[in-house]
Amino acid sequence: MVGAAGGLAAEPDGPGAREGLPSLVPLPVSVEERSGAEFALDADTGVRTEAGSAEARRVGEHLAEILRRSTGYPVPVSDASPTDTSGIQLLLADADPVVGEQGYQLDTSPDGVTIRAEHAAGLFSGVQTLRQLLPPEVESATVTDADWTVPGVSITDYPRFGHRSVMLDVARHFHPVEHVKHYIDQAARYKVNHLHLHLTDDQGWRIQIDSWPRLTTYGGSTQVGGGPGGYFTKDDYREIVEYAAERHITVVPEIDMPGHTNAALASYAELNCDGIAPPLRTDIEVGYSSLCVDLPLTYEFVADVIRELAELTPGPYIHIGGDEADATTDEDYALFMSRVIPIVEENGKQVMGWHEIANTDIPTDAVPQFWSTSTSHEGVRAAAERGAKVLMSPANKTYLDHKYDATTQLGLQWAGFVEVRDTYEWDPGTHVEGVSESSILGVESPLFTETIVTTDDMEYMAFPRLPSVAEVGWTQAEARDWDDFRLRLAGQAAHWEVLDLNFYRSPQIPWPDAEHPPGTCSAPAWSATEVYLGGDVVSHAGREWTAKWWTRGEQPGTTGEWGVWRDEGSC
Ligand code: NGO
């Protein structure tokens, strides 16, 4: 067995991807180069899937669609046959048992490529690897000319952690179904298998709840900065769940409570302890709202919301938030959780929550999500000792909403700057005192959206950090090495260019791009608070800048809106 990291020529300091095999991210468990086993796709190549398995067929169709789009070949999908094994085979038999629930084996020969797995999830992961083995043009949305040769390899691969997740906050800025699907596509490429949707927060409620309709019609009517907001109808939401499932991604919906609930409290006066509805909020303060813990109606509300949400949720988890409940006393918080957790369980779901829930008496199948910048937490340690599993998303390692460095115009920085190397060089299995590998469920990279409006913004913050955290979740600890990773990551850029992804050219990565070698893109020069005069373009110091977002607020001496404008730099 040749470890992929060891078997290939790597030049840590030179620009450009490493030579040899295409750069795979996340790094597989083992990659053996096999000369003479290259396979060239052509107009006759078909995909053959395990006979009788609808799931394998779906993975096959998914692959065929990608190949048809870029190669223009017909790529028929049919049942695998013992007598004709040419082409691309997706089989659910005879995989080495070491691949487990989610792993796969991928072998090439001059006649084809065979992916074997125990389950369709493994086939799907193998297909993502195959995409990276093919030339980057395979990602083209239109028919392209390329040498469609898959190098000769024998790969055995399986994940370190079964739960690899991304989170998208659709509450601070609403992100419509198309944005979410786009994000799902990018995450699936890196073997992420969960999408946590932060559906509610102070600034907006984004999921239709039939028994409490004003949550969305009123509570979803704005967002950070005062834009029109929006929400998912139940059909929209089902569409997301289904789209994700086709990509072997399970959706984990989050209703954040008892804090982060201003949108709900604004929508229904009767949910407030004093019976008075607060105004909708469009700023980014945290820690001021709380559901009314003593009010019986609070639990009727929660029961309705959880029931309707559970009906929309095929996955096992419902995330109940629980973070930053600064407007709730500790006693009230514990009381609230002791009443809400059973509601989730009665609906047949397991609780996930930000790590503060571990300050209360949570059941052992509840999952605290660690988001602190510190490396110890007594409640999380104790929960792990009692047998709970922990989801790891330390803010200073995994928060995709954070600035890369002082020049990043988007993003927050309360946890410091988060460069690519920060997201890579940490170990989920040893990060939190007293919480060992066996207590770790997996790893998540959250994208909060206080400053994230467009898919360009999402891409810029997620790339290249999302693939980096994805490798932390997938690749075995001893195989990870920064100097090797940065070369493999550089190798991904060619795929991102075909995909037209707006990725951040971190100076830590030796990008192979001759046109834009590291450091030659002009850094964004400034951001400033200016009076907003209307329209989308504002003149500043004689130049025009596109303003992508602004924050409504009070500014001494002005009565209008004002904004934070940014220069976006150029390449
Ligand atoms: C914190 C806070 C969120 C913010 C985010 C911004 C958690 C779990 N609660 O993370 O409300 O949006 O930081 O980085």
Side-chain angles (χ1 to χ4, degrees):
M1 170 165 122
V2 179
L8 303 169
E11 199 196 326
D13 294 312
R18 60 191 197 168
E19 288 166 14
L21 282 177
S23 305
L24 299 176
V25 175
L27 183 68
V29 171
S30 101
V31 180
E32 216 178 299
E33 286 192 70
R34 312 230 344 247
S35 70
E38 297 78 21
F39 170 64
L41 250 90
D42 60 28
D44 295 328
T45 304
V47 175
R48 299 169 195 273
T49 64
E50 181 74 33
S53 166
E55 282 206 303
R57 176 57 68 98
R58 283 233 298 275
V59 179
E61 289 292 352
H62 176 80
L63 171 63
E65 226 171 87
I66 294 165
L67 297 177
R68 285 178 200 134
R69 204 162 53 205
S70 50
T71 64
Y73 299 151
V75 198
V77 183
S78 58
D79 278 353
S81 121
T83 52
D84 185 353
T85 57
S86 65
I88 301 170
Q89 298 193 96
L90 305 181
L91 304 179
L92 291 173
D94 302 328
D96 182 334
V98 74
V99 303
E101 295 267 307
Q102 297 182 22
Y104 63 93
Q105 280 178 294
L106 185 155
D107 295 281
T108 63
S109 78
D111 293 334
V113 177
T114 302
I115 301 176
R116 293 177 188 277
E118 299 205 338
H119 300 278
L123 295 180
F124 188 81
S125 281
V127 163
Q128 304 318 308
T129 300
L130 179 58
R131 287 168 84 166
Q132 293 189 10
L133 289 170
L134 280 158
E137 289 79 9
V138 71
E139 303 303 344
S140 173
T142 53
V143 175
T144 324
D145 238 359
D147 172 5
W148 303 113
T149 299
V150 184
V153 281
S154 185
I155 295 177
T156 302
D157 196 16
Y158 48 88
R160 177 178 177 193
F161 298 110
H163 191 112
R164 301 168 306 281
S165 175
V166 292
M167 186 215 81
L168 181 63
D169 168 10
V170 294
R172 267 49 177 277
H173 277 99
F174 179 60
H175 290 274
V177 173
E178 288 314 311
H179 286 203
V180 180
K181 285 183 174 176
H182 179 69
Y183 206 54
I184 288 171
D185 282 334
Q186 308 320 322
R189 228 180 272 289
Y190 293 96
K191 303 185 170 73
V192 164
N193 64 356
H194 285 79
L195 169 69
H196 166 185
L197 283 177
H198 185 73
L199 290 168
T200 67
D201 212 303
D202 289 319
Q203 300 87 346
W205 185 286
R206 310 296 180 203
I207 178 72
Q208 179 186 346
I209 300 293
D210 296 328
S211 49
W212 297 75
R214 251 174 83 79
L215 289 171
T216 43
T217 55
Y218 182 70
S221 66
T222 191
Q223 60 185 358
V224 168
Y231 64 89
F232 300 131
T233 63
K234 287 190 168 175
D235 279 346
D236 290 339
Y237 191 77
R238 286 189 195 101
E239 192 178 327
I240 291 171
V241 168
E242 195 174 314
Y243 191 85
E246 276 165 18
R247 285 148 188 81
H248 288 268
I249 289 180
T250 303
V251 176
V252 179
E254 177 186 352
I255 303 293
D256 202 349
M257 50 194 170
H260 290 276
T261 43
N262 187 73
L265 295 167
S267 304
Y268 287 96
E270 60 270 38
L271 286 176
N272 294 271
C273 291
D274 60 5
I276 299 169
L280 291 170
R281 293 277 292 251
T282 60
D283 61 321
I284 63 172
E285 235 178 274
V286 294
Y288 57 84
S289 57
S290 178
L291 289 176
C292 187
V293 172
D294 293 335
L295 203 64
L297 186 66
T298 295
Y299 304 98
E300 288 174 35
F301 165 75
V302 172
D304 287 339
V305 169
I306 298 295
R307 186 189 67 253
E308 291 194 35
L309 193 62
E311 281 165 9
L312 293 170
T313 304
Y317 295 112
I318 286 190
H319 199 300
I320 56 172
D323 59 320
E324 297 175 315
D326 304 340
T328 321
T329 65
D330 290 350
E331 294 76 39
D332 276 359
Y333 184 86
L335 179 63
F336 180 81
M337 287 301 167
S338 74
R339 299 207 45 189
V340 166
I341 289 172
I343 295 175
V344 175
E345 291 172 333
E346 279 155 26
N347 282 280
K349 299 295 173 188
Q350 266 172 269
V351 166
M352 212 176 244
W354 299 105
H355 68 240
E356 288 96 324
I357 65 164
N359 294 330
T360 75
D361 192 15
I362 54 170
T364 51
D365 73 346
V367 176
Q369 179 173 358
F370 185 84
W371 63 280
S372 172
T373 55
S374 109
T375 53
S376 62
H377 187 279
E378 182 40 34
V380 171
R381 191 205 57 74
E385 192 177 279
R386 290 197 310 272
K389 300 275 188 207
V390 180
L391 181 60
M392 293 296 294
S393 58
N396 51 340
K397 304 291 177 190
T398 67
Y399 268 34
L400 305 182
D401 70 315
H402 268 49
K403 291 177 185 296
Y404 292 95
D405 64 20
T407 68
T408 316
Q409 295 298 298
L410 292 169
L412 306 182
Q413 62 183 90
W414 65 261
F417 298 127
V418 182
E419 249 291 2
V420 186
R421 188 167 187 163
D422 300 310
T423 63
Y424 193 75
E425 289 194 311
W426 65 286
D427 182 7
T430 56
H431 190 76
V432 183
E433 252 169 62
V435 181
S436 61
E437 173 106 10
S438 60
S439 300
I440 303 299
L441 178 74
V443 179
E444 174 175 297
S445 45
L447 181 55
F448 284 103
T449 60
E450 282 94 334
T451 68
I452 310 301
V453 182
T454 63
T455 48
D456 264 9
D457 294 346
M458 290 161 71
E459 291 168 5
Y460 190 78
M461 300 308 264
F463 285 85
R465 292 182 291 195
L466 184 158
S468 172
V469 180
E471 176 153 318
V472 173
W474 179 279
T475 301
Q476 310 301 313
E478 60 285 358
R480 290 206 290 118
D481 171 66
W482 166 253
D483 284 327
D484 173 65
F485 176 68
R486 60 199 281 276
L487 294 173
R488 283 185 289 110
L489 197 59
Q492 293 290 301
H495 291 252
W496 301 340
E497 269 163 13
V498 175
L499 287 163
D500 202 21
L501 283 190
N502 179 35
F503 65 97
Y504 165 61
R505 287 166 191 281
S506 165
Q508 299 182 334
I509 309 300
W511 305 110
D513 182 349
E515 216 183 308
H516 309 123
T520 59
C521 292
S522 83
W526 56 271
S527 70
T529 302
E530 296 290 325
V531 176
Y532 174 57
L533 299 173
D536 273 334
V537 175
V538 66
S539 169
H540 176 87
R543 296 174 67 183
E544 286 199 324
W545 305 102
T546 304
K548 281 198 176 167
W549 72 282
W550 55 90
T551 299
R552 201 189 292 267
E554 298 293 317
Q555 168 126 308
T558 68
T559 50
E561 290 167 302
W562 57 277
V564 180
W565 308 109
R566 59 174 194 251
D567 164 18
E568 296 181 321
S570 60
C571 276

